[in-house]
Amino acid sequence: MRRRSLLVLPAGLALAGCGFQPLYGEFSAGQDVRAELASVNVIVPHGRLGQTLKAALATDLNPSSLQVPADYDLAISIGRTTKALAIQLNATITRYDLILDSVFSLNRRSDGVPVYRNRVRRIASYNVSRAPYSTQVAEEDAERRAAVDSSRQIATLLAVFFREQNQPADQETAS
């Protein structure tokens, strides 16, 4: 146990020395991105996939359920495709890749101006079985996994964006 702590201490000091700061916590200027992330209103397409993504983003953007007014709208368009991954000699497909493309725009609510745009792509695979219901359940699970992964990546990109926007000018020139 003591040996592990002796190994962790130098790693922590090295991270502190290189300017590492937690993304969601307060940093030297005392600013925090959690309130800004919580102020994002998510707009997704109708349907199960859109609702899954919206629910995951609600958790990822505001895990503490902060009550703040919405300052931003996050408009997301979703593209979903499947691609055969495993094909047997008799041309039977046994595995698919489900590809989820999420293009998003963060718009200021006060004037509707887009302040940040990006795209996230996630791939989740699923098996095809002889029972159609099993295949449908596997496909829906792949959709859910891709939506949750997309949500995490979108939340991280937004956190980095807000962090960079809030960074004092003297820290930007030092980097």
Side-chain angles (χ1 to χ4, degrees):
M1 180 71 171
R2 183 175 178 189
R3 192 174 202 184
R4 264 191 222 163
S5 61
L6 290 176
L7 293 174
V8 172
L9 182 63
L13 292 174
L15 285 175
C18 75
F20 173 80
Q21 296 173 347
L23 182 60
Y24 296 103
E26 290 187 19
F27 54 101
S28 59
Q31 296 167 333
D32 189 351
V33 298
R34 288 178 287 194
E36 287 177 302
L37 287 172
S39 73
V40 174
N41 174 50
V42 180
I43 302 167
V44 295
H46 295 289
R48 184 183 66 241
L49 184 56
Q51 293 307 310
T52 302
L53 181 59
K54 185 173 184 170
L57 278 166
T59 301
D60 290 337
L61 293 175
N62 193 4
S64 303
S65 299
L66 297 176
Q67 298 296 319
V68 296
D71 294 331
Y72 300 95
D73 284 325
L74 180 65
I76 304 172
S77 63
I78 303 170
R80 179 197 178 281
T81 56
T82 54
K83 181 179 172 185
L85 183 63
I87 304 172
Q88 294 180 342
L89 292 174
N90 65 358
T92 303
I93 300 170
T94 59
R95 190 164 178 84
Y96 280 99
D97 268 350
L98 183 135
I99 303 159
L100 188 65
D101 280 309
S102 303
V103 178
F104 62 93
S105 175
L106 183 68
N107 306 315
R108 247 190 333 254
R109 276 193 143 185
S110 60
D111 55 9
V113 172
V115 293
Y116 180 65
R117 293 181 183 171
N118 210 329
R119 177 183 182 177
V120 170
R121 184 175 209 207
R122 292 286 163 262
I123 300 173
S125 299
Y126 64 95
N127 290 328
V128 177
S129 73
R130 292 183 187 195
Y133 179 73
S134 298
T135 301
Q136 180 183 352
V137 169
E139 183 177 4
E140 289 174 4
D141 181 60
E143 261 185 4
R144 184 195 57 74
R145 286 183 285 124
V148 168
D149 285 349
S150 294
S151 171
R152 287 183 185 138
Q153 189 172 8
I154 289 169
T156 301
L157 290 169
L158 291 176
V160 170
F161 168 75
F162 285 130
R163 176 79 178 266
E164 289 174 352
Q165 295 302 306
N166 292 336
Q167 194 170 15
D170 60 334
Q171 283 187 0
E172 286 179 11
T173 57
S175 313

